[in-house]
Amino acid sequence: DTYVSASDSARIDLLWWSEVGDTLPSRSLSPFEASVEVFCDASLTGWDCWTSDGREAFGVWSSSERRLHINLLECMSVFFAFQCFFKYTFDCGVLFHSDNTTVIAYFNHQGGTVSASICDLVLELLEFCLDRDMQISAVHLPGIKNTKADALSCMEDADHSYSLSHEFFDSLSEAIPFSLKIDCFASRLTFKLPNFFSLYYDPLSSWVNAFSVQ
């Protein structure tokens, strides 16, 4: 017999399994019923998602994100959808559609062994759902039938994607005699403060549309 040393990432997973005990929710024997359906897509320029109850979100990738593999980008678009639409949602079932078979397989199998990056993101989303007592299932939707999501994911940058540089913002913050609390016009790529308004649904924003607040 020989001893094999576990990697740091494997140690983290083993520690999680040793601590989780019987706290994981049981798998229902009843057929899965979705409260809402989500349609997701990504291209090399942007991402988008929309729901069966009429909500939609979209955005562009950063220059570094555009260098990532398309499978990972497709997976990120699904995670963004849940962050956009279900931050404050509990006890529901969500069925999401994607035209990427790799993403579907990783979610329905709760992970995979080919891509560590995709596996980590899937596990993060599953934890997101566990914290909210949400059930999730995924089905493949051929790209030819995912036309709305495909069109939104290919949209170009809009004017609101521009912002001050971090260096200039830091200098400005030091120069004014009061602290800044909320960024009213930002996105996940441009925000300078933890709490910010986005123009549309955004994975990281605290609120949507500053003009709608009284």
Side-chain angles (χ1 to χ4, degrees), residues 5-108:
S5 298
S7 64
D8 291 340
S9 59
R11 290 174 186 272
I12 294 173
D13 289 340
L14 291 171
L15 180 62
W16 184 86
W17 279 109
S18 67
E19 294 177 345
V20 71
D22 59 357
T23 61
L24 291 176
S26 58
R27 182 179 290 271
S28 174
L29 296 179
S30 302
F32 174 80
E33 293 186 8
S35 307
V36 63
E37 296 185 44
V38 181
F39 301 81
C40 307
D41 193 33
S43 67
L44 295 178
T45 57
W47 59 274
D48 97 286
C49 46
W50 62 281
T51 66
S52 56
D53 57 8
R55 293 171 290 173
E56 63 181 41
F58 55 89
V60 296
W61 302 119
S62 67
S63 57
S64 59
E65 289 171 338
R66 294 184 185 200
R67 293 193 289 269
L68 298 175
H69 194 281
I70 186 60
N71 287 348
L72 181 55
L73 296 178
E74 293 272 10
C75 190
M76 290 170 63
S77 74
V78 176
F79 194 23
F80 285 175
F82 279 78
Q83 289 179 308
C84 286
F85 304 135
F86 306 115
K87 292 176 185 175
Y88 311 111
T89 301
F90 297 86
D91 190 22
C92 72
V94 178
L95 176 67
F96 81 82
H97 303 255
S98 172
D99 59 10
N100 187 284
T101 55
T102 297
V103 171
I104 298 300
Y106 267 74
F107 275 101
N108 285 335

Side-chain angles (χ1 to χ4, degrees), residues 16-211:
W16 184 86
W17 279 109
S18 67
E19 294 177 345
V20 71
D22 59 357
T23 61
L24 291 176
S26 58
R27 182 179 290 271
S28 174
L29 296 179
S30 302
F32 174 80
E33 293 186 8
S35 307
V36 63
E37 296 185 44
V38 181
F39 301 81
C40 307
D41 193 33
S43 67
L44 295 178
T45 57
W47 59 274
D48 97 286
C49 46
W50 62 281
T51 66
S52 56
D53 57 8
R55 293 171 290 173
E56 63 181 41
F58 55 89
V60 296
W61 302 119
S62 67
S63 57
S64 59
E65 289 171 338
R66 294 184 185 200
R67 293 193 289 269
L68 298 175
H69 194 281
I70 186 60
N71 287 348
L72 181 55
L73 296 178
E74 293 272 10
C75 190
M76 290 170 63
S77 74
V78 176
F79 194 23
F80 285 175
F82 279 78
Q83 289 179 308
C84 286
F85 304 135
F86 306 115
K87 292 176 185 175
Y88 311 111
T89 301
F90 297 86
D91 190 22
C92 72
V94 178
L95 176 67
F96 81 82
H97 303 255
S98 172
D99 59 10
N100 187 284
T101 55
T102 297
V103 171
I104 298 300
Y106 267 74
F107 275 101
N108 285 335
H109 291 94
Q110 300 183 8
T113 59
V114 177
S115 171
S117 298
I118 296 178
C119 185
D120 288 344
L121 192 56
V122 167
L123 293 178
E124 189 175 352
L125 176 55
L126 292 175
E127 188 169 350
F128 176 98
C129 294
L130 284 173
D131 291 341
R132 293 161 177 78
D133 195 23
M134 297 171 59
Q135 293 183 317
I136 179 176
S137 185
V139 295
H140 179 252
L141 180 67
I144 193 171
K145 295 183 179 180
N146 202 19
T147 54
K148 179 176 179 178
D150 185 63
L152 287 171
S153 69
C154 295
M155 292 182 67
E156 297 297 328
D157 296 26
D159 290 340
H160 67 274
S161 63
Y162 294 96
S163 68
L164 299 175
S165 68
H166 286 283
E167 294 77 11
F168 186 84
F169 178 80
D170 290 341
S171 299
L172 180 64
S173 299
E174 294 174 0
I176 59 178
F178 53 87
S179 59
L180 300 173
K181 301 295 185 181
I182 299 175
D183 191 341
C184 289
F185 307 100
S187 71
R188 72 178 188 92
L189 298 180
T190 62
F191 74 94
K192 302 299 186 295
L193 297 169
N195 294 316
F196 69 93
F197 282 91
S198 58
L199 181 59
Y200 308 108
Y201 283 106
D202 186 279
L204 302 183
S205 68
S206 303
W207 310 278
V208 178
N209 191 0
F211 292 111

